[in-house]
Each structure stands twice: as C-alpha cells, then as structure tokens.
C-alpha cells in the first residue's frame, strides 16, 4: 500500500513538473489552412516549422488551421489572445471582417507575429495585414499596393513605377547578406552566408512602414531576377506588436537549411519576447558552403526520390 502511495506521489510530482515546464515556455501557434496552389504545401511545411520551434525547448506550439476563405467560419474561434506569438503559414485571399478585427487587435495590443514565405502573398486587400508584413507579392498586387522596395547604397529604396508585385527564378542556392548585424536576431551571424535552394523573392511591393531590413539577397538577372538586392529578413512594428518577416522557406528542403532554421527560431523568440537567448549553431552556413539537416529534409517523402531537383 505504501509503495502504491509513493508511486502516486511520484507521478503527481512528474505531472506537476511537466506542467510547470510547459508554463515556462512561450505559448504560440502556427496558423495554416490555405495556399494559392499545391506548390505551397502547408500540410507538409507546418509540421516542419513546428518541429524546428519545439527543438529549441523554448516554445509550446499549437496549430490553428483556418477554413478556406470561401468556407464556413461559424465554428472557427481561434482565441489568438492565448498566445504570445503567431506564425503565419497561410496564403489566403481573405478572412471575415470579425476575424480580421480580432487579429488586428491581437497584434496591435502586443501579440507577436512571424510571417513565413508565401504568407506575404495573403490578404492583398487587407490594409492592416499589409502594414504588418511591410511587403508582399502576387494575388494581383501592383503599384497600388505600394512601392517595390529594394536595398541600394546602404538603405532601402522605394521604386514607385507601375508593375505587378512578386517574381522569382529557379530555386537555386543564394547568398544572404546581413544588413543589421546588431539586431538581436542577427547578432553573431556571418556577414554573408549561403541559403539552400529556394525561391528568391523579388519585386515585392507594400507600404514598407515601420520596417527594418535585417538581410538581403541579390536577385541575379541571369536567373530571371531583378538585378537588385531584395529584402529577405525584416522586422516591423504594428502598434505594440513585434513582427518578424522571412521571405524564405518555399518547401521542406528550403526549411531544412540551418540558416533558415536559425533565423526563424531566433525571429520567433524575438517577436514573442523582444530578445534572443539562442546561440548560433556551429553548423551555420558560411559564405562558401550551404548547411542543411537531412532529418528535416526527409520530412518531405519526395526527398529520397530526388524531388528536390532544381525546377523553375
């Protein structure tokens, strides 16, 4: 009988310790549920993003899957206010007005936000969301969405000439250049490092307000690029909310890049807390070498079949 009591007490202590540990973590959620096409496979990339965040030991990660824009939202009650930071892995054309208002209240009131890759394609007509992302592409965006922003002579330049928003070439490795080495997300990272095969977004347009660019990449004209240094990583503020925006991360292979993982993990912590406690891994890529995690890349079943070959 005494042994059973001891076991019960031990089990209670373990449960209490686990609850205490979870309580000490950053409460967060990944928002997914829609993309503009199968080429942005959120059902495959969300588990990767979740694993990368959980590996840090800092985050308690939930997943909020929204209905498609033309779906039934009557039972969708996401309770954004429960979380310290939201990661947007969704490319939807619109949300109902009450949901947009709830989201705006969350961010402006101090909720953190992380925008990953095609999430900056989403919601082209939602003014507040476009202020949060700073820049975006596709979904019929043009000069009315704002200027094309790019880096030149040590600062961001706004090109107000007419034209569509968003373009990229073949998915090739490309060099990322740090532009704000003192920001907590970037502190300790190399000045230049190679990102794994990915879409190098260019000609993104938007209001660009309250936006600080942390890193850029040159969009090579020989790969259907703009021949300009395009923003890759940036931080913004919307009201009291901190926002980290990475345009990288097209697919699982791109997400397996140690450079992507590190900036994503650190950017999420910063958006939630305003600081970064994570060290730069020794496997971080250099200016001459890419670095990626095979175990992450294998989360795409096509990896072992050579599905990561270069495509346009």
């Amino acid at each position: 009988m005494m042994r059973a009591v001891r076991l019960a007490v031990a089990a209670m202590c373990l449960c209490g310790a686990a609850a205490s540990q979870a309580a000490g973590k950053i409460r967060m959620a990944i928002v997914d549920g829609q993309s503009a096409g199968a080429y942005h496979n959120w059902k495959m990339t969300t588990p990767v993003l979740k694993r990368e965040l959980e590996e840090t030991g800092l985050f308690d990660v939930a997943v909020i899957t929204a209905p498609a824009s033309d779906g039934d939202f009557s039972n969708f009650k996401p309770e954004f206010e429960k979380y310290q930071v939201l990661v947007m892995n969704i490319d939807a054309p619109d949300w109902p007005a009450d949901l947009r208002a709830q989201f705006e209240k969350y961010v402006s009131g101090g909720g953190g936000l992380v925008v990953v890759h095609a999430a900056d394609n989403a919601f082209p007509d939602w003014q507040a969301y476009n202020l949060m992302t700073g820049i975006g592409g596709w979904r019929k965006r043009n000069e009315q969405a704002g200027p094309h922003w790019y880096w030149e002579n040590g600062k961001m330049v706004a090109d107000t000439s007419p034209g569509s928003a968003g373009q990229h070439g073949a998915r090739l490795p490309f060099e990322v250049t740090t532009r704000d080495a003192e920001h907590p997300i970037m502190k300790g990272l190399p000045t230049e490092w190679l990102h794994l095969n990915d879409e190098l977004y260019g000609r993104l347009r938007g209001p660009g307000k309250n936006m600080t660019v942390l890193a850029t990449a040159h969009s090579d004209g020989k790969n259907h690029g703009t021949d300009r240094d395009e923003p890759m990583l940036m931080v913004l503020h919307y009201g009291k909310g901190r926002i980290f925006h990475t345009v990288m991360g097209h697919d699982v292979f791109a997400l397996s890049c140690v450079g992507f993982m590190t900036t994503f993990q650190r950017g999420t912590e910063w958006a939630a807390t305003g600081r970064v406690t994570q060290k730069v891994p020794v496997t971080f890529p250099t200016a001459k070498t890419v670095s990626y995690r095979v175990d992450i890349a294998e989360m795409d079943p096509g990896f072992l079949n050579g599905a990561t070959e270069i495509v346009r």
Side-chain angles (χ1 to χ4, degrees), residues 115 117-124 129-142 145-149 164-167 201-208 211 231 234 245 247:
V115 179
H117 193 60
D120 67 22
N121 299 180
F123 310 121
Y129 186 80
N130 286 274
L131 286 169
M132 295 176 201
T133 62
I135 52 176
W138 291 276
R139 289 199 178 275
K140 299 182 179 180
R141 283 180 174 87
N142 55 27
H148 164 204
W149 292 92
S164 59
Q167 62 83 231
Y201 274 7
R203 208 166 62 232
L204 298 182
R205 291 182 173 272
M211 181 173 75
M234 63 217 80
H245 181 177
V247 305

Side-chain angles (χ1 to χ4, degrees), residues 54-71:
E54 289 175 337
E55 281 189 358
T56 68
L58 296 174
F59 304 99
D60 182 14
V61 188
V63 176
I64 298 173
T65 300
S69 290
D70 58 355

Side-chain angles (χ1 to χ4, degrees), residues 8-309:
V9 171
M12 289 172 65
C13 289
L14 286 172
C15 289
S20 176
Q21 185 179 20
K25 292 184 178 182
I26 295 168
R27 301 179 311 280
M28 62 160 301
I30 300 171
V31 181
D32 65 14
Q34 190 171 358
S35 68
Y39 43 83
H40 287 142
N41 189 342
W42 56 269
K43 292 182 179 179
M44 193 175 292
T45 55
T46 287
V48 176
L49 297 173
K50 185 174 188 289
R51 175 173 167 179
E52 291 179 352
L53 292 168
E54 289 175 337
E55 281 189 358
T56 68
L58 296 174
F59 304 99
D60 182 14
V61 188
V63 176
I64 298 173
T65 300
S69 290
D70 58 355
D72 181 6
F73 282 80
S74 59
N75 294 316
F76 183 62
K77 310 294 181 186
E79 297 182 294
F80 297 135
E81 67 278 3
K82 290 170 51 178
Y83 306 104
Q84 293 168 259
V85 60
L86 300 175
V87 172
M88 299 298 279
N89 189 34
I90 185 171
D91 174 13
D94 200 7
W95 269 355
D98 60 337
L99 184 58
R100 295 198 306 268
Q102 182 187 348
F103 188 86
E104 291 173 27
K105 181 180 179 181
Y106 165 80
V107 180
S108 64
L113 184 66
V114 175
V115 179
V116 177
H117 193 60
D120 67 22
N121 299 180
F123 310 121
D125 300 320
W126 182 2
Q127 183 180 13
Y129 186 80
N130 286 274
L131 286 169
M132 295 176 201
T133 62
I135 52 176
W138 291 276
R139 289 199 178 275
K140 299 182 179 180
R141 283 180 174 87
N142 55 27
E143 65 277 6
Q144 294 180 8
H148 164 204
W149 292 92
Y150 63 94
W151 186 272
E152 186 175 69
N153 296 325
K155 63 181 181 180
M156 290 299 290
V157 176
D159 178 357
T160 59
S161 60
S164 59
Q167 62 83 231
H168 63 79
R171 298 202 297 272
L172 301 173
F174 56 82
E175 186 177 83
V176 178
T177 301
T178 298
R179 300 299 184 181
D180 187 347
E182 294 305 309
H183 192 278
I185 297 171
M186 307 302 291
K187 205 166 185 65
L189 301 188
T191 304
E192 288 93 21
W193 54 275
L194 279 180
H195 179 43
L196 199 60
N197 303 45
D198 202 350
E199 293 176 343
L200 197 168
Y201 274 7
R203 208 166 62 232
L204 298 182
R205 291 182 173 272
K209 295 181 179 180
N210 303 312
M211 181 173 75
T212 300
V213 171
L214 305 182
T216 63
H218 186 72
S219 179
D220 192 345
K222 292 181 289 186
N223 186 27
H224 306 279
T226 62
D227 266 330
R228 286 173 168 172
D229 292 339
E230 302 286 353
M232 293 290 108
L233 303 174
M234 63 217 80
V235 292
L236 305 95
H237 287 83
Y238 181 81
K240 297 179 181 178
R242 287 179 297 271
I243 300 155
F244 171 65
H245 181 177
T246 173
V247 305
M248 297 181 277
H250 171 75
D251 57 9
V252 174
F253 194 48
L255 299 181
S256 73
C257 174
V258 175
F260 171 86
M261 290 178 59
T262 303
T263 52
F264 171 60
Q265 292 162 336
R266 288 161 68 99
T268 304
E269 183 184 7
W270 177 84
T273 68
R275 63 184 187 276
V276 174
T277 62
Q278 303 167 65
K279 295 181 179 179
V280 179
V282 295
T283 54
F284 196 88
T286 70
K288 300 295 184 183
T289 59
V290 296
S291 176
Y292 75 100
R293 289 263 302 272
V294 174
D295 60 322
I296 297 292
E298 287 178 337
M299 293 179 73
D300 179 350
F303 176 70
L304 296 177
N305 298 325
T308 56
E309 62 184 324

